[in-house]
Amino acid sequence: MKYNIELQLKNKQESYAFGQVAAQANGAAWLKCGDTVILATVVIDETDFVDEDFLPLTVQYIEKSYAAGKFPGGFIKRETKPSDFETLTSRIVDRSLRPLFPKGFANPVQITIMVLSVDDEADLQVLALNAASAALYVSDIDIFNSVSAVRIGKIDGEIVVNPSLSQLEKSTLDLYLAGSKEDMLMIEMQTLGSDEMEIVDIGMVDPLIDPGMGTSSIPVRLSNAMNEDELIEVLALAQVELAKANSAYESSFKPFASAPFDLQCKISETDVDMIEYVRANHTDDLKRGINQMAKTERSTALRTIRKNIMKEKPEWDEHELKKAIEAVKRSMVRTQILDEKVRADGRGLREVRPIHIETNVLPSAHASALFTRGQTQALVVLTLGGAKDAQMFENLTDRGTQNEAFMVHYNFPGFSVGEPSPIGAPRRRELGHGNLAKRALEGACVRNGQTIRLVSEILESNGSSSMATVCGGYMALRAGDIEMADPIAGVAMGMVSEGERHAILTDIMGLEDHDGDLDFKVAGSKEGITAMQMDIKLGGIHLDVLKEALYQAKEARAHIIDIMMNSEENIELNEGTLPSTDLFHIDPSFIGDIIGQAGKTIREIIERFDVTIDIDKKKGSVKLTGKNREGLRGARDHIEGIISGSTPVEKVEYKVGDVVKGKVKKIVDFGAFIELPGGVDGLIHISKLSDSHISKVSDVLKEGDELMVEIVEFKGNKIGLGRAK
């Protein structure tokens, strides 16, 4: 492959080839970065157009297993349904490029991005957008603005631009920003879990232990939230890098751009007479319709207005009238916000809708929370498990399989918005909203080795069900007695702008999302942000406006968190169904006493208290997991009694020549394992079972037999036995 362009960008080099592959496409770019090769193509249907008011753009990001020298996983050795990563990456590219297309563009466009070769340090989401933008830039579609992506990490307190994947694993920040030379178009941000701990005196070791046991200091995870001022500084740095990169792309790609063909945008002019008639005669009806909170009620009200006007003007085209009513409605909503600072439902610009929270409404679930904000309602259900319950997955850049131990699954059934649609596999939007809620909560969650699954069932939706999932998710975690570094809440922000005027809206509802210019979701604690997602409908946003929105969102989060904290005080755990976990530390020198001779002591604790025990011998950490708190408390008391000396531990010491009675525990081909007094196991070889030759141990012994044996040797911790004379 002969590369036409080689660009040295921040911490990476990209090489592009144009005109050598996929010649039938309207535009194609072959991108190489390290050992990663990506082909992006753009195809437009010049003869067809969509007779609806939306852009018919489809983006498909596809990973090929051969790119990493792998076979597709599973029974079928062919790429089939896209992975979650592929779906989310397609969504990111779509959201980044969609603002480039002019209003009225109605021809179907297909952007395909194929990963053909990969190295394990490649940031495929950044490269996918860069390749797609390059293909669009050199195509014969009349778009001559470059859009690119930059990822920012924070490693050991230092900001790193375009970190490698191994660097990103050590980062406490993952910020993905897409934009042009002038504007930010799309933001995905999360703060990552930190291993940094501080020692805090908590008064008592654990709620399971009586307060009379005294005070104790334990390690507590530090908050991973990023404050607004620091985030603005990082965004400003990212915007500088985007300006540099896009300038380089445009100057380099320009010689390879095709001449644009004459493509007409389908800009439908709304009938002015209809608009004036609606304003003059039905303004009050429209106000009443707009103030209908629910989407279904509002739609019914607007449909009634349309039917009434058609009776008055039967010669009019009903479809054109519908557009006229929509135009007047949009203008009324926006004008009222900008001029009167009052929203359609009567709220002020900074006002959050009423919130109601119930916890553990499902008695058989481990934990649950029903979070209602206005006419948006999320039922979030928590399930706890062990390591074996984690979701196995493997990304193209992974050297092996990984386990996802914190999952958020978001479901959006049609009935939540009054639509009679069937429930099927999760769509891109559902995967994206679940991923946003996961990113908001995961870094603040202290899992202690557990696998956590949150399922959000959206029961009603009128604005930002993803942020209701964040709030309900936090409450479900606390209702399941899961420790959190910070209370986490989320809020959706919007904006309406006309010329130099703009208004930032807190907790937007569906109407404001539809008729506004910004969809900006912010999740985090009172101190800072843990996750953020922004989509621009204007074509860009400036940092001063973004800063205003961030601080207004912080004010709203604090208000929501205060309500959540009041509700948290009233949580009653599902004691009968909630599995319990206890994690504490001991002096590693006592671990041998807890395990006992050949594991006898620890087996007795497990059987007696019906718990599982995991011990880290190096760190001295002990993790207990049980079906109920009584068993957990008893097991911990027993272990601490062994350490303090109040619980007697049977210790038997042997020396060569001792003769004892043992029981056959297990028969193997080469001998038998014998359980000795004190829970110690020894091995008697087949050659020492009899003076004469025997071919099978089972000829002379069976499990459960008792016999006299002699200690004949020690090999490390292993005891060799012989038949006593």
PDB file of all heavy atoms in Angstrom, residues 247-262:
ATOM      1  N   SER A 247      -6.695  21.045  11.504  1.00  0.00           N
ATOM      2  CA  SER A 247      -5.993  21.908  10.537  1.00  0.00           C
ATOM      3  C   SER A 247      -5.052  21.074   9.677  1.00  0.00           C
ATOM      4  O   SER A 247      -4.971  21.259   8.449  1.00  0.00           O
ATOM      5  CB  SER A 247      -5.221  23.005  11.274  1.00  0.00           C
ATOM      6  OG  SER A 247      -6.094  23.874  11.947  1.00  0.00           O
ATOM      7  N   ALA A 248      -4.345  20.139  10.334  1.00  0.00           N
ATOM      8  CA  ALA A 248      -3.425  19.269   9.591  1.00  0.00           C
ATOM      9  C   ALA A 248      -4.188  18.357   8.638  1.00  0.00           C
ATOM     10  O   ALA A 248      -3.771  18.142   7.490  1.00  0.00           O
ATOM     11  CB  ALA A 248      -2.593  18.441  10.572  1.00  0.00           C
ATOM     12  N   TYR A 249      -5.324  17.814   9.099  1.00  0.00           N
ATOM     13  CA  TYR A 249      -6.119  16.934   8.242  1.00  0.00           C
ATOM     14  C   TYR A 249      -6.618  17.689   7.015  1.00  0.00           C
ATOM     15  O   TYR A 249      -6.500  17.209   5.880  1.00  0.00           O
ATOM     16  CB  TYR A 249      -7.322  16.379   9.014  1.00  0.00           C
ATOM     17  CG  TYR A 249      -6.986  15.330  10.052  1.00  0.00           C
ATOM     18  CD1 TYR A 249      -7.569  15.356  11.320  1.00  0.00           C
ATOM     19  CD2 TYR A 249      -6.098  14.303   9.774  1.00  0.00           C
ATOM     20  CE1 TYR A 249      -7.269  14.399  12.267  1.00  0.00           C
ATOM     21  CE2 TYR A 249      -5.793  13.342  10.722  1.00  0.00           C
ATOM     22  CZ  TYR A 249      -6.382  13.397  11.970  1.00  0.00           C
ATOM     23  OH  TYR A 249      -6.083  12.449  12.907  1.00  0.00           O
ATOM     24  N   GLU A 250      -7.192  18.852   7.207  1.00  0.00           N
ATOM     25  CA  GLU A 250      -7.809  19.573   6.094  1.00  0.00           C
ATOM     26  C   GLU A 250      -6.785  19.997   5.047  1.00  0.00           C
ATOM     27  O   GLU A 250      -7.017  19.864   3.841  1.00  0.00           O
ATOM     28  CB  GLU A 250      -8.587  20.780   6.628  1.00  0.00           C
ATOM     29  CG  GLU A 250      -9.842  20.384   7.393  1.00  0.00           C
ATOM     30  CD  GLU A 250     -10.665  21.573   7.856  1.00  0.00           C
ATOM     31  OE1 GLU A 250     -10.344  22.707   7.434  1.00  0.00           O
ATOM     32  OE2 GLU A 250     -11.621  21.377   8.632  1.00  0.00           O
ATOM     33  N   SER A 251      -5.639  20.492   5.507  1.00  0.00           N
ATOM     34  CA  SER A 251      -4.613  20.909   4.538  1.00  0.00           C
ATOM     35  C   SER A 251      -4.029  19.711   3.794  1.00  0.00           C
ATOM     36  O   SER A 251      -3.677  19.808   2.614  1.00  0.00           O
ATOM     37  CB  SER A 251      -3.500  21.681   5.255  1.00  0.00           C
ATOM     38  OG  SER A 251      -2.869  20.864   6.228  1.00  0.00           O
ATOM     39  N   SER A 252      -3.964  18.566   4.458  1.00  0.00           N
ATOM     40  CA  SER A 252      -3.391  17.364   3.829  1.00  0.00           C
ATOM     41  C   SER A 252      -4.386  16.653   2.924  1.00  0.00           C
ATOM     42  O   SER A 252      -4.018  16.104   1.876  1.00  0.00           O
ATOM     43  CB  SER A 252      -2.891  16.397   4.909  1.00  0.00           C
ATOM     44  OG  SER A 252      -1.912  16.998   5.730  1.00  0.00           O
ATOM     45  N   PHE A 253      -5.670  16.632   3.321  1.00  0.00           N
ATOM     46  CA  PHE A 253      -6.669  15.885   2.561  1.00  0.00           C
ATOM     47  C   PHE A 253      -7.196  16.653   1.350  1.00  0.00           C
ATOM     48  O   PHE A 253      -7.734  16.050   0.421  1.00  0.00           O
ATOM     49  CB  PHE A 253      -7.865  15.519   3.461  1.00  0.00           C
ATOM     50  CG  PHE A 253      -7.529  14.593   4.601  1.00  0.00           C
ATOM     51  CD1 PHE A 253      -8.409  14.441   5.669  1.00  0.00           C
ATOM     52  CD2 PHE A 253      -6.342  13.867   4.616  1.00  0.00           C
ATOM     53  CE1 PHE A 253      -8.114  13.589   6.720  1.00  0.00           C
ATOM     54  CE2 PHE A 253      -6.037  13.020   5.677  1.00  0.00           C
ATOM     55  CZ  PHE A 253      -6.919  12.885   6.723  1.00  0.00           C
ATOM     56  N   LYS A 254      -7.074  17.966   1.366  1.00  0.00           N
ATOM     57  CA  LYS A 254      -7.705  18.791   0.336  1.00  0.00           C
ATOM     58  C   LYS A 254      -7.345  18.379  -1.094  1.00  0.00           C
ATOM     59  O   LYS A 254      -8.222  18.312  -1.968  1.00  0.00           O
ATOM     60  CB  LYS A 254      -7.347  20.263   0.564  1.00  0.00           C
ATOM     61  CG  LYS A 254      -8.297  21.221  -0.110  1.00  0.00           C
ATOM     62  CD  LYS A 254      -8.101  22.637   0.434  1.00  0.00           C
ATOM     63  CE  LYS A 254      -9.187  23.549  -0.093  1.00  0.00           C
ATOM     64  NZ  LYS A 254      -9.080  24.915   0.460  1.00  0.00           N
ATOM     65  N   PRO A 255      -6.074  18.065  -1.398  1.00  0.00           N
ATOM     66  CA  PRO A 255      -5.744  17.668  -2.778  1.00  0.00           C
ATOM     67  C   PRO A 255      -6.431  16.386  -3.237  1.00  0.00           C
ATOM     68  O   PRO A 255      -6.513  16.125  -4.441  1.00  0.00           O
ATOM     69  CB  PRO A 255      -4.223  17.495  -2.735  1.00  0.00           C
ATOM     70  CG  PRO A 255      -3.772  18.290  -1.562  1.00  0.00           C
ATOM     71  CD  PRO A 255      -4.873  18.181  -0.562  1.00  0.00           C
ATOM     72  N   PHE A 256      -6.936  15.565  -2.301  1.00  0.00           N
ATOM     73  CA  PHE A 256      -7.531  14.276  -2.656  1.00  0.00           C
ATOM     74  C   PHE A 256      -9.053  14.319  -2.625  1.00  0.00           C
ATOM     75  O   PHE A 256      -9.706  13.306  -2.888  1.00  0.00           O
ATOM     76  CB  PHE A 256      -7.028  13.189  -1.693  1.00  0.00           C
ATOM     77  CG  PHE A 256      -5.534  13.052  -1.684  1.00  0.00           C
ATOM     78  CD1 PHE A 256      -4.766  13.730  -0.742  1.00  0.00           C
ATOM     79  CD2 PHE A 256      -4.887  12.282  -2.635  1.00  0.00           C
ATOM     80  CE1 PHE A 256      -3.388  13.613  -0.737  1.00  0.00           C
ATOM     81  CE2 PHE A 256      -3.504  12.173  -2.635  1.00  0.00           C
ATOM     82  CZ  PHE A 256      -2.751  12.840  -1.693  1.00  0.00           C
ATOM     83  N   ALA A 257      -9.624  15.483  -2.300  1.00  0.00           N
ATOM     84  CA  ALA A 257     -11.075  15.596  -2.213  1.00  0.00           C
ATOM     85  C   ALA A 257     -11.691  15.597  -3.609  1.00  0.00           C
ATOM     86  O   ALA A 257     -11.183  16.250  -4.526  1.00  0.00           O
ATOM     87  CB  ALA A 257     -11.456  16.864  -1.464  1.00  0.00           C
ATOM     88  N   SER A 258     -12.773  14.851  -3.770  1.00  0.00           N
ATOM     89  CA  SER A 258     -13.481  14.792  -5.047  1.00  0.00           C
ATOM     90  C   SER A 258     -14.329  16.045  -5.230  1.00  0.00           C
ATOM     91  O   SER A 258     -14.760  16.681  -4.257  1.00  0.00           O
ATOM     92  CB  SER A 258     -14.383  13.560  -5.098  1.00  0.00           C
ATOM     93  OG  SER A 258     -13.630  12.379  -4.911  1.00  0.00           O
ATOM     94  N   ALA A 259     -14.581  16.382  -6.478  1.00  0.00           N
ATOM     95  CA  ALA A 259     -15.463  17.513  -6.766  1.00  0.00           C
ATOM     96  C   ALA A 259     -16.873  17.152  -6.335  1.00  0.00           C
ATOM     97  O   ALA A 259     -17.380  16.079  -6.685  1.00  0.00           O
ATOM     98  CB  ALA A 259     -15.426  17.838  -8.252  1.00  0.00           C
ATOM     99  N   PRO A 260     -17.529  18.006  -5.566  1.00  0.00           N
ATOM    100  CA  PRO A 260     -18.869  17.667  -5.079  1.00  0.00           C
ATOM    101  C   PRO A 260     -19.892  17.689  -6.203  1.00  0.00           C
ATOM    102  O   PRO A 260     -19.826  18.532  -7.099  1.00  0.00           O
ATOM    103  CB  PRO A 260     -19.158  18.763  -4.054  1.00  0.00           C
ATOM    104  CG  PRO A 260     -18.314  19.914  -4.481  1.00  0.00           C
ATOM    105  CD  PRO A 260     -17.073  19.325  -5.083  1.00  0.00           C
ATOM    106  N   PHE A 261     -20.813  16.727  -6.163  1.00  0.00           N
ATOM    107  CA  PHE A 261     -21.880  16.741  -7.157  1.00  0.00           C
ATOM    108  C   PHE A 261     -23.032  17.612  -6.661  1.00  0.00           C
ATOM    109  O   PHE A 261     -23.121  17.942  -5.474  1.00  0.00           O
ATOM    110  CB  PHE A 261     -22.355  15.325  -7.489  1.00  0.00           C
ATOM    111  CG  PHE A 261     -22.819  14.540  -6.293  1.00  0.00           C
ATOM    112  CD1 PHE A 261     -24.082  14.735  -5.754  1.00  0.00           C
ATOM    113  CD2 PHE A 261     -21.988  13.578  -5.719  1.00  0.00           C
ATOM    114  CE1 PHE A 261     -24.509  14.011  -4.671  1.00  0.00           C
ATOM    115  CE2 PHE A 261     -22.414  12.849  -4.626  1.00  0.00           C
ATOM    116  CZ  PHE A 261     -23.672  13.058  -4.098  1.00  0.00           C
ATOM    117  N   ASP A 262     -23.898  17.955  -7.558  1.00  0.00           N
ATOM    118  CA  ASP A 262     -25.003  18.859  -7.246  1.00  0.00           C
ATOM    119  C   ASP A 262     -26.100  18.074  -6.529  1.00  0.00           C
ATOM    120  O   ASP A 262     -26.864  17.344  -7.147  1.00  0.00           O
ATOM    121  CB  ASP A 262     -25.543  19.489  -8.532  1.00  0.00           C
ATOM    122  CG  ASP A 262     -26.610  20.536  -8.240  1.00  0.00           C
ATOM    123  OD1 ASP A 262     -26.647  21.006  -7.090  1.00  0.00           O
ATOM    124  OD2 ASP A 262     -27.390  20.862  -9.153  1.00  0.00           O
TER     125      ASP A 262
END
